[in-house]
Amino acid sequence: METLLIFGIALTALLFGIGVMIILFDIYRVPTFLTSAALSASVHRARRKRNAGSRFDRAMESLAGYISGKIRLNGSVKQKLEGDLSCAGMKITPEMHVANCILKASIAAAVTLPPVFIFTPALILSPLAALAVFSSEYSAPSKKIEAHREAIEYELPLLVSRISNTLESGRSRDVLYILNSYRRNAGPDLAAELAVTVADMQSGNARAALTRLESRVGSSLLSDVSRGLIAVMDGNDPVGYWASLSARLTDNQRQILQRKANRVPGKINRLSFCLLACVMILYLVVIGTEIVQSFGVIFG
């Protein structure tokens, strides 16, 4: 009898302890075993996928490096590519960039080859796809620079307005202060350039820093802003200059918006064409299936 009593007390204490433990786990949100196992499995899958991707990237990089060693570029072409890659923030050599373009074009050509075994005239798709991919990848730095320049030029009216208002109100004529204060509210592209310029002005010649800013971006409008800021640093008060510059920049901003608006119908037309093509393919498949079935009934 005493053994049963001791066993009952021990079982009750065990169940009580388990209940308290479950309550504490719930209060402190300790994950369950199934949750931990699922999370661990997810982490392992993500790690395997990342390792597979990194192995593929390393293989492609090694192959591109081998191809780049065989490429010889003309002096002017190499110099232009170096400038474009540097402005676009792509830290690779021109030969490596061309090798990447060749490699991606080759992959595109290989992907478009299988339809040739079904429809022989589709052989023309392979070189066209390779040419399109090579052209797109080769011009990627120029497109990136153009988008970067357009984003900065679109925001220049706000910068000029801030400069003009600060100078007219007499709050400050310190160019470093004006640029640093606007940088905190600027867009990502202009903020990045202003951050480099502010650091350059703090550590060196302010006039040279503004000159390097306009040379990095390559915008004539930004060059006009830099010249106005240099005039302010020289002690001039070009109120009329800022007013006329603000009008020009506002007009350029309107043109940028117009270009963006003009691109939208083209995208809509392409999407509409794709939708029409899908509908036509669907109808052709249905009609073809019915015709084949009808032949089976007629000649069956």
Side-chain angles (χ1 to χ4, degrees), residues 181-232:
S181 61
Y182 182 80
R183 177 176 62 89
R184 301 186 183 95
N185 301 318
D189 294 275
L190 184 56
E193 294 294 341
L194 290 180
V196 175
T197 304
V198 167
D200 202 3
M201 293 174 71
Q202 289 174 340
S203 60
N205 189 344
R207 187 188 301 268
L210 292 173
T211 304
R212 282 190 286 269
L213 169 64
E214 62 183 68
S215 65
R216 279 198 310 271
V217 178
S219 169
S220 59
L221 297 176
L222 185 59
S223 178
D224 294 337
V225 176
S226 298
R227 283 198 294 268
L229 291 174
I230 291 174
V232 172

Side-chain angles (χ1 to χ4, degrees), residues 100-133:
N100 286 330
C101 296
I102 294 174
L103 189 58
K104 291 178 181 179
S106 303
I107 293 174
V111 169
T112 54
L113 275 179
V116 175
F117 299 101
I118 302 174
F119 186 60
T120 306
L123 181 63
I124 194 174
L125 292 177
S126 183
L128 288 178
L131 183 61
V133 170

Side-chain angles (χ1 to χ4, degrees), residues 163-183:
I163 295 171
S164 180
N165 292 335
T166 304
L167 294 175
E168 288 179 3
S169 63
R171 289 200 302 269
S172 175
R173 293 184 59 87
D174 185 2
V175 173
L176 178 60
Y177 166 77
I178 295 173
L179 295 180
N180 197 28
S181 61
Y182 182 80
R183 177 176 62 89

Side-chain angles (χ1 to χ4, degrees), residues 20-39:
V20 171
M21 184 178 65
I22 292 174
I23 293 173
L24 290 176
F25 281 180
D26 185 65
I27 292 174
Y28 291 101
R29 300 187 181 279
V30 178
T32 63
F33 174 76
L34 293 177
T35 303
S36 300
L39 182 61

Side-chain angles (χ1 to χ4, degrees), residues 246-282:
S246 178
R248 282 199 295 131
L249 291 175
T250 302
D251 184 62
N252 182 72
Q253 186 183 51
R254 192 180 301 111
Q255 293 176 8
I256 292 175
L257 287 174
Q258 184 65 39
R259 287 197 297 269
K260 290 182 178 179
N262 291 337
R263 295 190 195 113
V264 174
K267 295 180 180 179
I268 294 176
N269 291 334
R270 286 195 293 271
L271 292 175
S272 300
F273 178 77
C274 292
L275 180 62
L276 177 62
C278 291
V279 173
M280 293 298 295
I281 291 172
L282 177 62

